[in-house]
Amino acid sequence: MSPTVPGPTGPTGAAAHARALHDRPDAHLGAPAALVATYPPGCGRAARREALRPVYEAVVAELGEPTLYGGSAAGPSVRWHTGSHVVLLAGGPQGATLSVHTASDLHGREYTAVESGSVGWRPEQPHGFDALPYLWLLHRGQERSWPGFRWDGHHTAASWEHLESSLELLLDSWMEQLPLQVPGDWASFVVGCSRDWPRHLRVAYVQDPGHLSLMVDHRTTAEEPGWEDTMRERGWQVLDKGWWRAEFADTDPAAARSAARLLVADVRARGSVCPDELVAWELTVNDRGRLWLPGIGMPVN
């Protein structure tokens, strides 16, 4: 964890500091990250988001839209690339910080972190997804301008428990960060399992009203006695035109955990024996830009 120091006061001060980092990066390289938004102790995702909102909006008004949107388990992971340098708005235990880095150095440190073998390695060890520098990144510029300073692989969880944790962290980050960084946009991905192909399950976060939504295709599934009770016991709520659905309001602190548990319970019930047998595809935010999900916990096509 990088050291932090108290930062400028208020959104105006944060915006001025971001401008200084952007325009005079060499004068600030190596300096501790400046704390520009603090989170109330023990607060939930909505309170953290609202504590960051005025600072984030002021920095965007000053620097323009980010080169890369994103989030980690600790909060935002938003970047403004200048070519040689990166201004980074990052989450931490106390709040959000601003710092500037040589792009190659930041890339090297983050690459080391994600390739260190500490994520998704052994079931008996901590899962490590909470230590990733980012769980998701979204680029909305032209394809030819994709920043080279990112890791676009995807760690696979070492156990079902680890997969539940990785999905919970990712979905929690979406609920906390997407309404701030890309207001109104939905995000989704599709999950398939090799032992029940081609039936698939879709996970989505919708902002209006805010909720996580899971859907699983049941149109070609044989209906055995008691199948509806079985699906409801698993956590599915409604059968609609051949699709089972479940929704979890983002005002519920347990929404991400409930959604992750349902996904894992469903794919295991269909015969999957490990997360390696799953695959995710159609990763998107509002069908605009390129989305990377290093923290998804399963292979990605």
Side-chain angles (χ1 to χ4, degrees):
M1 181 75 64
S2 300
T4 62
V5 296
T9 303
T12 301
H17 186 60
R19 173 56 66 186
L21 297 179
H22 184 276
D23 292 352
R24 300 185 300 278
D26 290 336
H28 301 274
L29 285 175
L35 188 65
V36 293
T38 57
Y39 302 148
C43 68
R45 74 173 79 90
R48 290 192 300 269
R49 182 176 65 231
E50 295 314 307
L52 177 59
R53 185 181 298 278
V55 167
Y56 176 81
E57 291 177 348
V59 172
V60 170
E62 182 66 31
L63 299 185
E65 289 297 321
T67 313
L68 283 170
Y69 302 89
S72 70
S77 184
V78 185
R79 294 118 193 279
W80 289 263
H81 291 72
T82 67
S84 57
H85 295 86
V86 180
V87 176
L88 176 65
L89 177 66
Q94 297 175 287
T97 63
L98 276 170
S99 57
V100 67
H101 309 266
T102 302
S104 57
D105 289 347
L106 179 64
H107 172 61
R109 291 195 300 272
E110 292 186 335
Y111 188 85
T112 298
V114 298
E115 288 285 7
S116 65
S118 61
V119 181
W121 185 242
R122 294 182 183 277
E124 66 274 13
Q125 295 178 346
H127 56 75
F129 286 95
D130 52 346
L132 285 172
Y134 43 87
L135 299 168
W136 62 276
L137 289 177
L138 172 66
H139 182 254
R140 286 207 155 155
Q142 297 297 318
E143 180 175 337
R144 63 180 178 271
S145 65
W146 284 349
F149 307 104
R150 70 191 190 289
W151 183 81
D152 54 5
H154 302 86
H155 281 296
T156 298
S159 67
W160 293 119
E161 292 76 17
H162 285 191
L163 179 60
E164 281 190 17
S165 294
S166 67
L167 289 169
E168 179 182 351
L169 290 170
L170 173 64
L171 296 175
D172 256 328
S173 180
W174 274 6
M175 288 188 287
E176 181 174 335
Q177 295 299 322
L178 288 176
L180 178 61
Q181 297 182 34
V182 285
D185 286 1
W186 51 266
S188 71
F189 56 88
V190 174
V191 177
C193 52
S194 59
R195 295 177 185 259
D196 190 24
W197 204 264
R199 190 167 75 134
H200 61 270
L201 185 156
R202 181 176 295 275
V203 181
Y205 173 58
V206 180
Q207 294 190 37
D208 187 19
H211 67 276
L212 292 169
S213 171
L214 275 69
M215 300 169 50
V216 67
D217 189 357
H218 200 78
R219 291 171 297 180
T220 60
T221 303
E223 297 180 359
E224 300 177 354
W227 62 274
E228 287 196 43
D229 291 339
T230 298
M231 293 294 283
R232 290 196 171 90
E233 288 170 4
R234 199 176 297 167
W236 295 105
Q237 298 167 357
V238 177
L239 179 62
D240 179 24
K241 298 179 181 178
W243 289 78
W244 279 96
R245 301 173 182 266
E247 292 186 355
F248 307 94
D250 66 4
T251 54
D252 178 3
R257 182 174 303 173
S258 299
R261 285 179 175 173
L262 173 55
L263 187 152
V264 170
D266 190 78
V267 297
R268 293 187 72 177
R270 289 191 268 154
S272 298
V273 298
C274 65
D276 269 320
E277 294 188 336
L278 308 181
V279 62
W281 71 95
E282 292 186 14
L283 285 55
T284 185
V285 177
N286 228 53
D287 289 336
R288 180 175 164 228
R290 175 72 182 271
L291 175 67
W292 294 278
L293 298 181
I296 196 172
M298 66 185 77
V300 170
N301 185 352

